[in-house]
Amino acid sequence: MTMKTNVKKIDNYQSEITVEYEAAELEKSKKRACKQLAEHVNIPGFRKGKVPPIQILEQHLGKGAILDEAAEILIQKAAKDIVDDLKIIPVTQMRRNVITCEDGKDFVFTLTFTNYPEVKLGEYKGLKVEKVVDTVTDEDVDKQVENMREHHANMVDAPDATVANGDFITLDFVGTVDGKKFEGGESKDYPLEIGSHRFIDNFEEQLVGLKIGDEKDVKVTFPENYQVKDLADKPAVFHCKVNSIKHKELPELNDEFAKKVSKFATLAEFKADIKKNMEANAERRAVEKQQQAVIEKAVENMTVDVPPVMIEDRITQMIEELSLQLQSQGMKLEQYMSFSGMTLDAMREQYKESAKQNVLTDILLDEIAKVENIDVDNNELNYELAVMAQMYRTTPKQIYKILQENHRLSGIATQVLRRKVMRFIIDNMAKDETAKVEEKVEKTAEKKSDEVKETKTAEKAEVKEDKKSK
């Protein structure tokens, strides 16, 4: 098939390829078009699928329909050949523009697209990032213990008390704006924890000091981004009446409390275990932050000019993922935006920086995979499918079928590959002195263990030899 191409760069990101087929190729393509069209039309005197003469098809469908089908066949073929032969990686769909498509004339059209950016990797092996582990203090432990006391607190009626921070109350309220009631602004025996900040502005703080039966006009201002547009940024008055007050009664902090909430016999042992767990969590967080920082450093060392369309596409993907997550919780994206007071444009702007970092990271990982010849084998992919199957309580075979039907199998393989490359970068990062010492100790211990095993094996051999000699 004779095809001429001419590549022209439009700007830093877009390219245009002019494609030219000889008239004879268009004529051949018309015959293939007739075969394809014949499978979908019924023509009197011809069985379905039987290819009638081109003149008969032209009478029933028109010359334009056959010519358009022939052109589409050549355009699709050209797009594939261009990607394969010119090693072009489009990051957008190719936009076609037909210049000439007539019988007896060469078929000429253009394909415009955004090309994958050129990438220059910087240092990504031997990167050094300090691991910073947060110190766990006795005060941190005490806060954790206090949270547990709060969790195990009893709510006790306090008929003679005044409302204080941390109390649970019930109240009646009627809200007005400009002296008029509004929808949703009235309730009876509404339960409220003082200090929870569930209500707007400083509503809860104004109830502090009231007793049961007391009434008060609470003055607040709705926030600018309030979900009900008619109320946004408007002052309001809520006439409130306190109906009940409950205080938290915390359990006494002693050995009995430790026995009740843990497996330990004393408070000291309980606190020691909490500190141990908090230190382990601090170490885990430090390692995760260090590993993330190494990836970010490798991204910073890379030189690449990312096409804006790649970032916009990633933003769209992130919003679609949010929409699916909201749907699983019984909410639509439109409702979420209404409640949060956010427009779609504002949401896209909010996601822009994180989307850019995501795209940069993916480019880095894909490029390193090529340079280091890292790939994913069937065992690794099968393991990923098994994990997904367990998560969704189905079989790996069913997961494979679903992914294949939705054309997402390659996407899963890409995820596995990128995680593998991330592990490669992390495994090749510069180790700090502490890690080197720990590794040396481990190797020394392994060496001594091997020496002990060898000695014992030799001793056994000697014993056997002695027995034989006797």
Side-chain angles (χ1 to χ4, degrees):
M1 184 179 288
T2 306
M3 178 180 76
K4 295 179 183 178
T5 58
N6 180 44
V7 182
K8 182 177 71 174
K9 200 169 183 180
I10 298 175
D11 54 33
N12 289 341
Y13 310 112
Q14 292 189 97
S15 295
E16 180 185 86
I17 299 180
T18 302
V19 183
E20 183 177 342
Y21 281 105
E22 292 178 355
E25 293 297 337
L26 182 61
E27 195 62 32
K28 290 179 186 177
S29 187
K30 282 174 66 177
K31 292 178 181 178
R32 288 192 294 273
C34 287
K35 288 182 181 180
Q36 292 182 189
L37 292 169
E39 294 177 2
H40 305 288
V41 295
N42 290 317
I43 299 177
F46 293 90
R47 295 193 313 272
K48 190 173 182 180
K50 177 75 173 175
V51 183
I54 190 169
Q55 295 83 358
I56 301 296
L57 270 176
E58 286 178 346
Q59 288 176 12
H60 281 78
L61 301 175
K63 287 186 177 182
I66 296 174
L67 206 56
D68 288 346
E69 185 71 15
E72 183 64 26
I73 291 171
L74 289 177
I75 290 171
Q76 293 296 333
K77 182 73 171 71
K80 183 181 182 305
D81 289 345
I82 285 167
V83 170
D84 293 341
D85 299 341
L86 302 182
K87 305 303 179 187
I88 287 172
I89 306 175
V91 297
T92 57
Q93 284 192 335
M94 291 184 171
R95 301 189 305 277
R96 81 275 301 274
N97 179 37
V98 176
I99 297 172
T100 305
C101 184
E102 298 177 29
D103 287 329
K105 292 186 178 181
D106 291 348
F107 176 39
V108 184
F109 59 95
T110 61
L111 295 173
T112 308
F113 59 92
T114 300
N115 204 0
Y116 193 84
E118 292 184 9
V119 183
K120 184 180 179 182
L121 290 173
E123 291 295 329
Y124 59 87
K125 287 191 282 190
L127 298 178
K128 187 173 183 179
V129 175
E130 185 182 358
K131 183 177 72 175
V132 181
V133 184
D134 295 332
T135 302
V136 178
T137 65
D138 291 340
E139 184 180 350
D140 295 327
V141 175
D142 289 340
K143 285 180 181 176
Q144 185 77 0
V145 173
E146 280 304 306
N147 288 337
M148 297 191 73
R149 287 182 73 201
E150 290 276 349
H151 182 71
H152 288 85
N154 293 320
M155 302 309 302
V156 180
D157 286 321
D160 301 322
T162 58
V163 175
N165 195 46
D167 284 350
F168 284 81
I169 69 171
T170 58
L171 74 158
D172 300 338
F173 60 81
V174 178
T176 57
V177 171
D178 297 329
K180 296 179 181 179
K181 294 182 182 180
F182 54 89
E183 187 178 352
E186 184 174 358
S187 185
K188 294 281 188 182
D189 281 325
Y190 189 91
L192 177 65
E193 180 184 5
I194 304 300
S196 64
H197 301 292
R198 284 170 54 196
F199 277 27
I200 60 171
D201 208 359
N202 61 343
F203 186 102
E204 294 165 29
E205 289 87 336
Q206 295 182 59
L207 299 175
V208 172
L210 298 182
K211 294 182 178 180
I212 292 175
D214 284 353
E215 298 184 28
K216 182 176 181 177
D217 284 341
V218 173
K219 298 177 182 179
V220 293
T221 301
F222 284 99
E224 291 182 13
N225 62 347
Y226 193 64
Q227 59 264 29
V228 182
K229 300 298 182 185
D230 293 341
L231 300 177
D233 204 28
K234 288 188 177 180
V237 177
F238 285 85
H239 183 76
C240 302
K241 179 185 176 184
V242 178
N243 295 330
S244 69
I245 302 173
K246 287 181 182 289
H247 280 327
K248 281 183 183 177
E249 191 175 78
L250 300 178
E252 191 175 346
L253 190 59
N254 52 25
D255 292 344
E256 290 303 314
F257 174 73
K259 289 177 186 177
K260 182 180 179 181
V261 300
S262 74
K263 62 181 180 180
F264 299 99
T266 66
L267 183 61
E269 290 174 325
F270 179 43
K271 284 187 173 184
D273 184 67
I274 289 176
K275 188 169 187 177
K276 180 182 175 182
N277 290 333
M278 291 181 74
E279 287 173 341
N281 288 334
E283 173 69 21
R284 176 183 52 76
R285 288 194 301 272
V287 170
E288 288 175 354
K289 286 181 181 178
Q290 183 189 35
Q291 292 176 350
Q292 181 60 37
V294 166
I295 303 298
E296 290 171 358
K297 198 167 186 177
V299 170
E300 289 173 8
N301 293 341
M302 175 179 64
T303 303
V304 61
D305 187 8
V306 180
V309 68
M310 292 183 73
I311 298 171
E312 291 301 319
D313 286 349
R314 181 56 59 90
I315 293 171
T316 300
Q317 180 185 335
M318 293 169 74
I319 292 175
E320 286 173 353
E321 288 170 357
L322 173 64
S323 180
L324 289 173
Q325 182 183 345
L326 292 169
Q327 285 179 34
S328 69
Q329 299 169 1
M331 183 184 291
K332 292 183 178 179
L333 181 64
E334 293 76 13
Q335 291 174 306
Y336 172 79
M337 289 192 295
S338 176
F339 293 152
S340 60
M342 185 175 289
T343 64
L344 188 59
D345 287 342
M347 185 179 290
R348 294 188 70 87
E349 186 63 32
Q350 187 182 63
Y351 281 157
K352 195 167 189 176
E353 188 56 37
S354 58
K356 181 180 179 181
Q357 289 306 311
N358 288 346
V359 170
L360 284 169
T361 301
D362 287 349
I363 290 173
L364 170 83
L365 300 177
D366 293 344
E367 194 66 20
I368 292 175
K370 287 189 287 186
V371 171
E372 298 290 343
N373 294 316
I374 301 172
D375 55 18
V376 175
D377 59 35
N378 286 335
N379 289 335
E380 291 167 324
L381 186 57
N382 288 336
Y383 177 79
E384 183 72 11
L385 296 179
V387 171
M388 292 178 68
Q390 190 174 20
M391 184 186 304
Y392 294 106
R393 297 181 181 180
T394 185
T395 63
K397 189 175 181 180
Q398 185 64 21
I399 286 289
Y400 180 87
K401 183 182 176 183
I402 293 169
L403 292 173
Q404 195 173 40
E405 288 174 351
N406 290 276
H407 308 290
R408 290 186 57 198
L409 200 58
S410 61
I412 297 298
T414 300
Q415 288 178 18
V416 176
L417 176 64
R418 286 171 179 167
R419 286 204 302 268
K420 195 172 178 179
V421 177
M422 288 177 76
R423 176 46 56 188
F424 174 83
I425 298 171
I426 291 164
D427 288 344
N428 284 277
M429 64 185 283
K431 295 179 180 177
D432 57 33
E433 294 304 316
T434 304
K436 287 179 182 177
V437 171
E438 289 175 353
E439 187 177 1
K440 189 175 180 181
V441 169
E442 287 177 4
K443 286 183 178 179
T444 303
E446 288 175 4
K447 187 178 179 182
K448 286 183 178 179
S449 176
D450 291 339
E451 288 174 355
V452 170
K453 287 178 182 177
E454 288 174 5
T455 303
K456 287 182 177 180
T457 303
E459 288 174 351
K460 288 179 181 179
E462 288 175 6
V463 171
K464 286 180 180 180
E465 193 64 37
D466 288 342
K467 285 181 179 179
K468 283 182 181 180
S469 62
K470 288 177 183 179

